[in-house]
Amino acid sequence: EYQVGSGVYYPIPNHRLPSLAPYAKGLELPHTEKAAKECLSLPVHPSLSQDDLERIVEAVNKLAKAGA
């Protein structure tokens, strides 16, 4: 069995989340903004089956080969 780590990815930079934005007024984080736009978040979770994981890998490989 694979030991797959999991985490949460927020497509909005943390300093722009409504709950945190009041504490970050005027804060500019261009690298954080860029990472939020370019980060690839995969649906990987410890409860996924082997078939699910293989389907995810297949889809990512297909996109990579297509140059996406």
Side-chain angles (χ1 to χ4, degrees), residues 33-53:
E33 299 280 350
K34 184 178 181 198
K37 290 178 186 175
E38 297 177 0
C39 184
L40 173 63
S41 181
L42 298 176
V44 177
H45 189 274
S47 67
L48 291 175
S49 69
Q50 183 64 33
D51 288 341
D52 293 331
L53 293 171

Side-chain angles (χ1 to χ4, degrees), residues 2-42:
Y2 292 103
Q3 298 296 319
V4 178
S6 64
V8 176
Y9 166 72
Y10 298 97
I12 300 170
N14 286 347
H15 68 290
R16 300 232 183 261
L17 291 171
S19 60
L20 299 176
Y23 304 103
K25 289 182 181 180
L27 185 62
E28 295 297 324
L29 300 172
H31 296 292
T32 302
E33 299 280 350
K34 184 178 181 198
K37 290 178 186 175
E38 297 177 0
C39 184
L40 173 63
S41 181
L42 298 176

Side-chain angles (χ1 to χ4, degrees), residues 49-67:
S49 69
Q50 183 64 33
D51 288 341
D52 293 331
L53 293 171
E54 289 175 11
R55 192 170 77 236
I56 292 166
V57 169
E58 185 178 309
V60 170
N61 285 337
K62 185 177 179 180
L63 286 172
K65 288 177 185 172

